Amino acid sequence: MAPTPPSPRPSAPAALEPPVALEPAMAANGIGSFDWDLRTDVIVGDARACRILGIDDPAEHPELPPLDSEGFLALLHAEDAPVVRDRVQRAVAELGQCGAYYRTVFADGEMHAVRFRARVLADQQGKPSHMVGFVWDATVELHKRVRADRLAMVREERTRFIKEAARALSEATTMQDVARVFTELPLPGIPPDGLILAVLDSGRIQILRSTGYRPEAPAPPDHVPLDSDHPAALALRTRTPVFLGSRREYQERFPAVWERVSDTTRSAWAFLPLVAGGRPIGVCVASFYEDRALDSEDRTLLSTLGGMVAQSLARARLHDAEHELAAGLQRVMLPRRVPPLPGFTSAVRYLPAGTGLQIGGDWYDVVPLPGGHVGLVIGDVQGHDVHAAGVMGQLRIALRAYAAEGHPPAAVMTRASRFLADLDTGHFATCLYAEVNVDYGAVYAVRAGHLDPLVCRADGSSAVQPVAGGLPLGIDPENSYPVTRFTLDPGEMLLLCTDGLVETRTVDIDEGMEQLRHAVGGRELQGPGALEALADRIADAAADSHERDDDIALLLLRWDGPAEARPRQLRRRIPQADLEQVAEVRGELRDAVRRWGVGELADTVELLTSELVTNALVHTDRDALLTARLYREGGPEGPARLRVEVDDESDLWPKRRTPGEQASSGRGLMLVEALADAWGVDPRGTGKRMWFELIHRQP
């Protein structure tokens, strides 16, 4: 049995006429119909379809050429035409359905949107002949889509803005940094014409920073009391934002303060309270030149921004308070100024650690000593925190007191070590103490675990000066410290510093000292501002280093030479239990009298001084204080009188004896009486003073 042949497909009608029953429904919904003859490429539509497509109705304009596929595609938006073409071609090839959404621009330039649905019909041979379908206006959807796209873009911009604002505010350290970041933020969608950040201080709202206000324009209100009828005060009291969309609204809601802002050119305001930890700390204000009714999303954005600013401001306020406390504590701990020193020029610098509270245990000090000499101190208490700073302050005062009492350098350092050990703080300290003689530039230095000093010579060279060292202070109260003596020539400089200047995470101390030596070598050291300029250069280089994590103390001292107009004097305290100091004092006194121009008296003064000092130390249980002075009688050409005094606290007076030939002692006062031009013993309330004088006459 032969197979049954397939039934023929329905052919396209000669003219597309919608059923009469569908016409009211199509008219009510604004739906038009069209017929596209695929064989002749002619598109025919009813009146509604023509209006929707934005073309002339052929029934009303028979003179116009019929619409073909290329003419139809030319009506479409350039981005939509390829999509429609592909879908039509696929439907024709498959004898199926197609639908599309496209945009078209009418003759008046207005953008419209159209949707259509169609089916391809085949002729009796099964080939595509017509595409028939419906078309309706989708411009409303287009507007909704445009608005949705715009809103999505705005939301994306605001999300990105919130992230950028959060990042910038998190990096703001001080209150001024927070104010700068806030007033420079570009708010998306609602760019304000003016921004103000104000803080609450002592019951008043004070402006911290503002932007967008011209100098010639009325200034925004400042120092507003919290209990006033002002929108900023209301926002803070209620902790609720205050939005004013027009000048009229401002005047109606706040008539008491309207007069103060009536001259401004602003027309809308947003007052956002800044609340952190449940406490109001300030307010930020956004203002606009035109009336602005902020919608819910705008208000949400501003409120979110206010919350972030509040948290950053609270953190920055705490940081500023801690920094001010640390800086104030450091200022109290360190000398407020270096006193003027005849014969010397000095410069000092202190740089706090780059992290934490920026406070530490490094210190410097310059101590005027009897006889015009000067004591230099540089030290570093372990750690760079408040505890270390407190220990440093106590140790600095104690060491300064020991030096000012006239104790020799070794005794100063020993007593300071014992003092720190008695404090029982758990901290140790490194220190270098140097006593510089103004008359002849001799330096007596002791070192307790600290860096050696650097000496810059007059010829431009520089070198590390080795100083014999001992244990850091506070470790062994009975530790003794050897003294190293070296000299400076006029115009030469002594540099003392702490390890923070020469040691970093990547540079060890030896390498750092070598770099410092090269940095100061060849620098100009003369002139009134040379040392200050050098100190600035060293401190600036250290401050710019990103690897520094310790505080720095720096002390520069230049010996300018003996001060001729000042009386010549040498004063030394000699510990009772340290007879070795007698030899050092004799040598120093010999150098002094030679420097003073009476070197012929050196042997005699050394002998007599040794007798008086030894007598005071052997026959008492206290320290002795030596003072030597040179006076000129009758002008520069007159005789010089050298007076040496030895003070002790014993009430026992010396007795002159007549020793036998074999006696090993008892001749001290006989030598003094025989060689001195004058001598004597004077009471001093507690103790006595033995003295002698030698006269030197010009040849």
Side-chain angles (χ1 to χ4, degrees):
M1 178 177 180
T4 305
S7 59
R9 300 193 179 192
S11 61
L16 186 63
E17 293 290 343
V20 177
L22 294 179
E23 179 59 26
M26 296 176 63
N29 290 278
I31 299 176
S33 59
F34 70 90
D35 180 6
W36 183 355
D37 191 334
L38 300 176
R39 296 166 298 186
T40 61
D41 194 21
V42 174
I43 302 175
V44 178
D46 59 15
R48 281 192 298 275
C50 292
R51 288 196 301 273
I52 294 171
L53 295 176
I55 60 178
D56 296 323
D57 188 355
E60 299 178 0
H61 300 278
E63 72 280 3
L64 295 177
L67 180 66
D68 57 10
S69 59
E70 292 302 324
F72 166 70
L73 294 174
L75 299 174
L76 276 58
H77 192 281
E79 296 178 357
D80 300 339
V83 177
V84 174
R85 184 196 302 273
D86 291 343
R87 293 186 180 182
V88 169
Q89 290 177 350
R90 187 182 305 112
V92 171
E94 297 175 356
L95 293 177
Q97 300 182 33
C98 71
Y101 167 91
Y102 63 85
R103 293 163 292 173
T104 180
V105 180
F106 283 14
D108 58 2
E110 184 179 357
M111 179 75 72
H112 284 250
V114 177
R115 284 190 179 275
F116 76 88
R117 294 290 300 177
R119 173 182 289 275
V120 176
L121 302 179
D123 58 11
Q124 293 182 352
Q125 285 76 32
K127 296 180 179 181
S129 61
H130 288 265
M131 176 179 283
V132 295
F134 302 100
V135 60
W136 62 94
D137 190 284
T139 304
V140 174
E141 297 181 31
L142 174 64
H143 292 166
K144 291 181 179 180
R145 177 175 296 183
V146 171
R147 285 195 299 271
D149 291 344
R150 185 182 301 113
L151 290 176
M153 184 180 301
V154 170
R155 290 192 183 99
E156 183 178 353
E157 290 179 355
R158 291 180 175 179
T159 301
R160 186 166 53 250
F161 165 77
I162 290 296
K163 292 180 180 179
E164 291 297 324
R167 181 193 59 78
L169 289 171
S170 66
E171 296 175 355
T173 304
T174 66
M175 293 178 63
Q176 288 295 336
D177 291 340
V178 174
R180 176 186 53 80
V181 170
F182 169 72
T183 53
E184 294 177 357
L185 289 175
L187 274 73
I190 50 170
D193 300 301
L195 286 172
I196 299 174
L197 182 62
V199 295
L200 182 62
D201 188 8
S202 301
R204 289 183 173 270
I205 304 172
Q206 302 181 20
I207 293 177
L208 191 61
R209 186 183 175 96
S210 64
T211 185
Y213 292 84
R214 297 185 298 271
E216 64 275 9
D222 196 4
H223 294 79
V224 176
L226 185 59
D227 57 356
S228 66
D229 186 22
H230 191 279
L234 177 63
L236 274 181
R237 290 197 304 268
T238 62
R239 303 179 186 180
T240 304
V242 175
F243 299 101
L244 302 174
S246 66
R247 296 170 63 86
R248 181 178 180 180
E249 184 180 359
Y250 196 129
Q251 184 177 9
E252 291 177 350
R253 293 184 60 183
F254 301 96
V257 295
W258 168 248
E259 185 177 355
R260 297 174 56 184
V261 297
S262 59
D263 294 336
T264 183
T265 56
R266 313 289 162 159
S267 298
W269 297 263
F271 297 87
L272 309 172
L274 304 179
V275 181
R279 300 178 58 186
I281 61 174
V283 62
C284 51
V285 184
S287 59
F288 307 88
Y289 284 131
E290 300 178 353
D291 292 356
R292 180 69 65 92
L294 300 175
D295 59 24
S296 60
E297 293 194 358
D298 294 336
R299 297 187 178 192
T300 300
L301 174 65
L302 290 173
S303 299
T304 302
L305 177 61
M308 292 193 303
V309 173
Q311 297 300 321
S312 297
L313 195 62
R315 185 180 63 252
R317 172 176 284 183
L318 180 61
H319 173 274
D320 287 351
E322 291 178 346
H323 185 270
E324 181 60 28
L325 174 62
L329 180 60
Q330 196 74 56
R331 286 193 298 269
V332 171
M333 295 298 182
L334 293 175
R336 296 186 60 184
R337 65 180 184 89
V338 175
L341 305 169
F344 297 99
T345 302
S346 62
V348 294
R349 294 292 185 272
Y350 174 79
L351 277 71
T355 58
L357 285 179
Q358 297 189 339
I359 188 172
D362 289 20
W363 89 95
Y364 59 80
D365 207 351
V366 180
V367 187
L369 300 176
H373 300 176
V374 60
L376 307 180
V377 185
I378 197 81
D380 182 1
V381 176
Q382 170 196 10
H384 43 84
D385 52 18
V386 175
H387 192 192
V391 174
M392 176 268 287
Q394 298 178 78
L395 182 59
R396 184 184 77 83
I397 294 172
L399 197 149
R400 183 183 182 90
Y402 295 145
E405 287 177 354
H407 295 289
V412 170
M413 196 68 83
T414 300
R415 293 173 182 240
S417 181
R418 187 177 299 117
F419 172 82
L420 182 57
D422 291 343
L423 287 179
D424 194 21
T425 63
H427 284 66
F428 65 85
T430 65
C431 182
L432 187 145
Y433 174 70
E435 182 175 331
V436 186
N437 187 305
V438 68
D439 291 318
Y440 50 92
V443 182
Y444 296 85
V446 290
R447 186 170 64 87
H450 202 76
L451 301 175
D452 287 319
L454 196 66
V455 176
C456 300
R457 301 298 181 185
D459 60 1
S461 64
S462 60
V464 175
Q465 174 63 50
V467 173
L471 294 174
L473 303 181
I475 293 181
D476 182 4
E478 304 304 323
N479 183 62
S480 60
Y481 296 90
V483 179
T484 300
R485 183 180 184 275
F486 58 94
T487 59
L488 299 175
D489 290 335
E492 295 184 340
M493 184 190 74
L494 193 62
L495 184 153
L496 310 179
C497 68
T498 55
D499 57 1
L501 180 63
V502 295
E503 184 180 29
T504 67
R505 291 186 294 269
T506 59
V507 178
D508 60 27
I509 289 181
D510 293 336
E511 183 181 354
M513 287 294 291
E514 187 66 17
Q515 292 176 357
L516 179 62
R517 188 181 70 81
H518 285 292
V520 301
R523 298 291 182 180
E524 177 59 44
L525 302 180
Q526 308 307 313
L531 256 62
E532 292 292 339
L534 179 59
D536 286 338
R537 186 180 300 110
I538 296 173
D540 291 344
D544 292 339
S545 174
H546 298 292
E547 296 183 350
R548 182 176 64 87
D549 53 7
D550 197 1
D551 46 343
I552 294 173
L554 173 68
L555 193 159
L556 308 179
L557 182 84
R558 183 184 67 210
W559 181 52
D560 299 322
E564 298 295 340
R566 185 182 51 75
R568 305 298 182 87
Q569 177 176 286
L570 173 67
R571 194 174 189 185
R572 285 290 179 270
R573 180 175 293 275
I574 306 172
Q576 196 276 335
D578 190 1
L579 296 181
E580 294 180 359
Q581 289 291 326
V582 178
E584 294 183 8
V585 171
R586 286 202 308 263
E588 186 171 343
L589 185 58
R590 174 182 289 275
D591 290 341
V593 297
R594 288 175 178 173
R595 179 74 66 176
W596 296 344
V598 290
E600 293 84 350
L601 302 178
D603 292 338
T604 303
V605 73
E606 183 179 356
L607 174 61
L608 300 186
T609 299
S610 179
E611 292 296 336
L612 264 61
V613 170
T614 303
N615 183 77
L617 296 179
V618 170
H619 297 288
T620 68
D621 58 355
R622 300 293 179 89
D623 298 348
L625 179 62
L626 168 71
T627 304
R629 298 186 181 90
L630 182 71
Y631 303 92
R632 289 286 181 181
E633 299 178 351
E637 302 300 327
R641 180 180 297 273
L642 178 63
R643 181 182 176 93
V644 176
E645 302 170 348
V646 177
D647 297 349
D648 61 58
E649 298 181 4
S650 173
D651 295 328
L652 297 176
W653 284 56
K655 295 180 180 180
R656 186 178 182 279
R657 294 182 292 171
T658 304
E661 294 182 0
Q662 302 299 321
S664 59
S665 63
R667 299 185 176 86
L669 292 183
M670 294 177 60
L671 290 175
V672 174
E673 183 178 19
L675 299 178
D677 292 294
W679 75 283
V681 182
D682 299 329
R684 297 185 60 244
T686 56
K688 62 184 179 297
R689 170 176 293 168
M690 298 182 62
W691 58 271
F692 68 86
E693 291 183 351
L694 299 175
I695 298 177
H696 178 268
R697 292 177 175 84
Q698 297 290 345

